[in-house]
Amino acid sequence: MNSKIVNCYIYTRVSTVIQVDGFSLDAQKDKLRKYAEFQGMRVVGEYSDEGKSGKNINGRPEFQQMLDDIKSQKDNVSFVLVFKLSRFGRNVADVLSSLQFMQDYDCNLVCVEDGIDSSKDSGKLMISVLSAVSEIERENILVQTMAGRNQKAKEGKWNGGFAPYGYYLEKGELKIAEDEAETIRMIYDKYVHTNMGGTGIAKYLNDHGYKKKVRKNGKLDSFSAHFINGVIDNPVYCGKIAYGRRKTEKISGTRNQYHIVEQDEFPIYDGIHEAIISEEDWKIAQKKRKELSVKREKVYSLEHEHLLSGILVCPVCGAKMYGNVNRKKKPDGTLYKDYFFYACKHRLNVDGHRCDYHRQWNQDIINEAVEEVISKIVTKPHFEDAIKAELNAEIDTDELDKELSAIKKRLHQLNCSKDKLAGQIDNLDVTDKHYDKMYADMQTRLYSFYDEIELVENEIEDKEKTILTIKEQKISCDNVYHFLAFYDIMYKNFTDAEKKQFLKQFLESVEIFKEQQPSGQILKSITFKFPVFYDGENITEICWDGITELESVVLLTKVHK
């Protein structure tokens, strides 16, 4: 190697405590020290990265420190000794750029086990070839693995990972879990045959005592809009298998960073498993999802808003009524006047028949009646004191915060397990006769980790949304209470958009009679989202028996603080 004693560094790395190739850090160091002694080299520094992947140099602090020391010529080293080239790096670009960096400061690389010395003419070429071959080999096997998964999907078979809610796995095949399938059918029935969306269905299930079965990959027993929309979007429930709904893609501008990206288009194949819902219902659900995602821009009456749309309830079917307009035009086609109404959407009922309530209510009449009720409530004695008490109330999310912390801990454990598996893949010997099979098996396990990580991340998102909703509800509640204290002054100066926002925050629902009562009464009941103070008590709902005086209100629901 060299007749005079030269200084050298030793660099060792393992990706995981359990080594596939059987060489621990201590074993590597021992062999490198003996090699240095045999070659007449003086070891002046040792650097070790334990539990670090060799896919790139980022995240390997000892490796980067070694390069910094070479740059500063701290020890005037001539060589860096590594056990194998794979310990130095697994990415061709990183290996070659790091080697070039070292050689700029007259330092070369020796891979003891591989018999490679970059100070020799053939050494650098050999490093380039081995690095490229290793990386190409891994990429080819990945392509073959993905092709195998695609073929499996074409055959209608489940591609691995946890079974979707509503199914369980038996010998790798999807079987209907009836205790969960009942909920799936309920979700599609509500989505297809009512005007409920994901949020509404989740609220309905939670309010009616439905519990989501807690699985190994989840801790929450409540339903969320995210979960509902995921069920609606998944063709597995109509007997299909989707392939490539999510893809791992390289993050633009980075060398070795990837993330999972939802795909807009992906192939769908006929599955061999039994469907839970009909293909027809699934297609109707997809059509509704598309329609709800399109926001229509107004052309006429730009400042007008249907204040109680989605709040006013049909007196026959109980569905939320919507705003409608009767647009009158002059003979020459120019706009004359718009007349606004509330009407039922006539959606299908559970029995399959459409609602037959065809009356359209003038919006001004209904709006003014609701506004008058709110005005009478806020002008009652002691209302202001009750409002101040509500504003001082505190919220408690300690239990939810603890649950969120536990879920995040599980995500950390999964990521650690995934990284260790990636490290084992890094440590595979490409010359091993079983390399292809071992790599493919490990890659399948790696994808399973990604599936589970995605589910836990969704669980974290759901929990964070729940906590945020509680906090936002408190903020919304406080905003409403602040506004109620000055209702008579502020409301009349609001735009329609501001009025609609306030009413949507304050009112859960408004029920009306089928026809105006002999007394002139229209409103049947009003349900509030937050308790309001009336006659010494906090109430959430009021109703009338057909007479106009608010004093005859019947308290249906009382909330005592």
Side-chain angles (χ1 to χ4, degrees):
M1 172 79 63
N2 230 314
S3 57
K4 66 177 182 177
I5 295 178
V6 295
N7 293 339
C8 69
Y9 285 154
I10 285 176
Y11 177 74
T12 52
R13 178 184 65 82
V14 292
S15 299
T16 180
V17 177
I18 302 173
Q19 288 299 292
V20 176
D21 55 16
F23 285 94
S24 65
L25 282 176
D26 289 339
Q28 292 180 43
K29 289 176 182 178
D30 182 62
K31 187 154 189 173
L32 293 176
R33 291 184 192 121
K34 288 179 179 177
Y35 179 87
E37 182 181 359
F38 178 76
Q39 294 292 341
M41 296 181 181
R42 181 188 300 114
V43 177
V44 293
E46 295 186 1
Y47 303 83
S48 295
D49 282 311
E50 185 171 6
K52 306 297 182 182
S53 172
K55 286 185 177 179
N56 57 70
I57 63 173
N58 296 326
R60 288 199 276 159
E62 288 283 292
F63 185 87
Q64 292 177 333
Q65 181 61 53
M66 180 182 71
L67 294 184
D68 289 342
D69 290 345
I70 291 172
K71 180 179 180 180
S72 68
Q73 297 185 327
K74 171 186 171 185
D75 300 300
N76 293 317
V77 294
S78 299
F79 292 93
V80 169
L81 307 183
V82 297
F83 179 64
K84 295 176 71 174
L85 180 61
S86 61
R87 304 304 89 206
F88 187 75
R90 302 283 290 188
N91 178 277
V92 177
D94 277 346
V95 168
L96 296 181
S97 63
S98 298
L99 178 58
Q100 184 60 58
F101 178 88
M102 289 166 49
Q103 290 184 326
D104 288 343
Y105 296 95
D106 300 320
C107 182
N108 280 287
L109 176 67
V110 174
C111 307
V112 174
E113 189 74 4
D114 297 323
I116 299 173
D117 181 352
S118 69
S119 65
K120 297 178 180 178
D121 292 339
S122 60
K124 190 171 182 179
L125 175 61
M126 185 62 69
I127 288 173
S128 302
V129 172
L130 286 181
S131 298
V133 168
S134 179
E135 187 165 306
I136 292 171
E137 191 75 18
R138 290 196 303 274
E139 293 298 327
N140 285 341
I141 291 178
L142 177 60
V143 170
Q144 292 168 15
T145 302
M146 297 308 296
R149 290 167 68 89
N150 189 15
Q151 181 59 36
K152 198 172 182 181
K154 286 180 179 180
E155 295 170 1
K157 299 176 182 177
W158 184 242
N159 236 324
F162 290 103
Y165 197 85
Y167 290 96
Y168 67 93
L169 285 173
E170 186 177 279
K171 296 180 179 179
E173 292 187 9
L174 294 177
K175 302 291 182 182
I176 293 179
E178 282 300 335
D179 57 336
E180 297 175 354
E182 177 189 357
T183 306
I184 299 298
R185 295 186 187 101
M186 171 73 74
I187 290 171
Y188 273 90
D189 180 64
K190 293 293 181 185
Y191 195 82
V192 171
H193 299 120
T194 74
N195 64 345
M196 290 185 188
T199 302
I201 294 173
K203 186 177 186 301
Y204 174 88
L205 293 173
N206 293 328
D207 290 348
H208 286 77
Y210 287 87
K211 297 293 182 183
K212 180 155 66 74
K213 187 175 178 181
V214 177
R215 291 181 164 197
K216 178 183 176 183
N217 58 315
K219 302 293 182 185
L220 297 177
D221 64 357
S222 59
F223 293 92
S224 66
H226 185 278
F227 174 83
I228 302 299
N229 291 332
V231 168
I232 296 299
D233 291 340
N234 198 339
V236 73
Y237 296 111
C238 68
K240 305 290 185 180
I241 292 290
Y243 176 75
R245 293 176 66 196
R246 301 179 298 274
K247 286 187 178 180
T248 302
E249 296 182 358
K250 181 175 174 292
I251 299 175
S252 179
T254 67
R255 179 173 293 171
N256 292 292
Q257 295 181 34
Y258 297 84
H259 61 164
I260 297 174
V261 180
E262 295 281 346
Q263 303 297 305
D264 294 328
E265 296 183 1
F266 46 85
I268 297 177
Y269 307 108
D270 291 330
I272 61 174
H273 63 282
E274 185 180 353
I276 293 177
I277 55 105
S278 69
E279 188 173 345
E280 180 183 2
D281 277 353
W282 190 77
K283 287 180 177 178
I284 295 173
Q286 302 319 297
K287 183 180 178 182
K288 180 177 176 179
R289 282 280 278 162
K290 272 187 181 176
E291 290 172 350
L292 290 179
S293 66
V294 177
K295 187 174 181 180
R296 296 179 176 84
E297 294 188 8
K298 294 177 67 174
V299 178
Y300 301 103
S301 303
L302 300 181
E303 294 183 359
H304 178 271
E305 294 286 349
H306 308 298
L307 302 186
L308 297 172
S309 178
I311 298 175
L312 194 64
V313 177
C314 173
V316 174
C317 70
K320 298 295 175 66
M321 301 177 78
Y322 72 108
N324 197 8
V325 60
N326 184 0
R327 184 160 289 120
K328 300 291 185 181
K329 293 186 178 181
K330 295 178 182 179
D332 62 1
T334 58
L335 182 64
Y336 174 64
K337 189 174 182 180
D338 282 346
Y339 296 88
F340 299 100
F341 301 90
Y342 292 120
C344 180
K345 289 187 176 181
H346 310 300
R347 294 190 180 278
L348 284 174
N349 294 322
V350 177
D351 60 6
H353 296 92
R354 291 190 179 277
C355 176
D356 59 359
Y357 185 67
H358 294 286
R359 173 155 187 174
Q360 297 190 96
W361 285 92
N362 184 289
Q363 287 191 11
D364 289 338
I365 295 174
I366 304 293
N367 293 345
E368 288 169 8
V370 171
E371 290 161 3
E372 182 182 1
V373 171
I374 298 174
S375 180
K376 287 184 177 180
I377 289 176
V378 300
T379 54
K380 285 292 179 181
H382 308 299
F383 183 80
E384 185 176 349
D385 292 337
I387 288 292
K388 290 178 181 178
E390 292 293 343
L391 290 173
N392 291 328
E394 298 292 332
I395 60 171
D396 182 10
T397 60
D398 286 350
E399 286 301 316
L400 289 172
D401 289 334
K402 288 178 183 176
E403 291 175 16
L404 178 60
S405 178
I407 300 170
K408 286 185 175 180
K409 183 177 180 181
R410 171 156 176 73
L411 179 62
H412 176 71
Q413 292 171 340
L414 284 171
N415 277 318
C416 287
S417 298
K418 178 204 69 174
D419 290 342
K420 284 184 179 180
L421 179 59
Q424 291 177 354
I425 294 175
D426 275 349
N427 290 331
L428 288 176
D429 186 352
V430 294
T431 63
D432 192 303
K433 67 177 182 179
H434 300 301
Y435 175 81
D436 289 1
K437 290 182 179 179
M438 289 193 302
Y439 185 88
D441 289 344
M442 287 183 174
Q443 200 68 42
T444 300
R445 286 172 55 202
L446 190 62
Y447 274 97
S448 295
F449 271 124
Y450 278 117
D451 288 339
E452 189 170 358
I453 285 170
E454 183 188 21
L455 290 169
V456 174
E457 286 175 340
N458 290 340
E459 193 176 344
I460 289 174
E461 183 181 350
D462 287 345
K463 184 65 71 175
E464 288 176 336
K465 283 181 179 178
T466 300
I467 294 172
L468 181 61
T469 298
I470 291 173
K471 292 180 178 178
E472 286 180 341
Q473 187 178 39
K474 171 63 176 171
I475 294 170
S476 297
C477 179
D478 287 352
N479 288 340
V480 170
Y481 287 147
H482 276 300
F483 173 73
L484 287 173
F486 304 96
Y487 176 83
D488 282 345
I489 300 172
M490 298 177 63
Y491 189 82
K492 62 184 178 182
N493 295 317
F494 271 9
T495 64
D496 274 8
E498 292 168 333
K499 289 178 180 179
K500 184 173 183 178
Q501 182 181 11
F502 161 70
L503 293 172
K504 189 174 181 181
Q505 287 180 318
F506 186 37
L507 304 180
E508 182 68 37
S509 64
V510 174
E511 292 189 30
I512 57 176
F513 292 103
K514 289 178 66 174
E515 299 291 340
Q516 191 169 11
Q517 302 299 288
S519 61
Q521 186 75 13
I522 300 170
L523 300 181
K524 186 176 182 180
S525 72
I526 296 180
T527 304
F528 304 99
K529 286 188 174 181
F530 314 118
V532 294
F533 186 79
Y534 181 77
D535 279 358
E537 295 182 276
N538 288 316
I539 64 171
T540 56
E541 187 175 11
I542 60 176
C543 77
W544 295 266
D545 56 6
I547 58 177
T548 58
E549 293 297 324
L550 185 62
E551 283 69 23
S552 66
V553 71
V554 178
L555 304 184
L556 298 181
T557 306
K558 298 181 180 180
V559 179
H560 299 281
K561 297 290 182 184

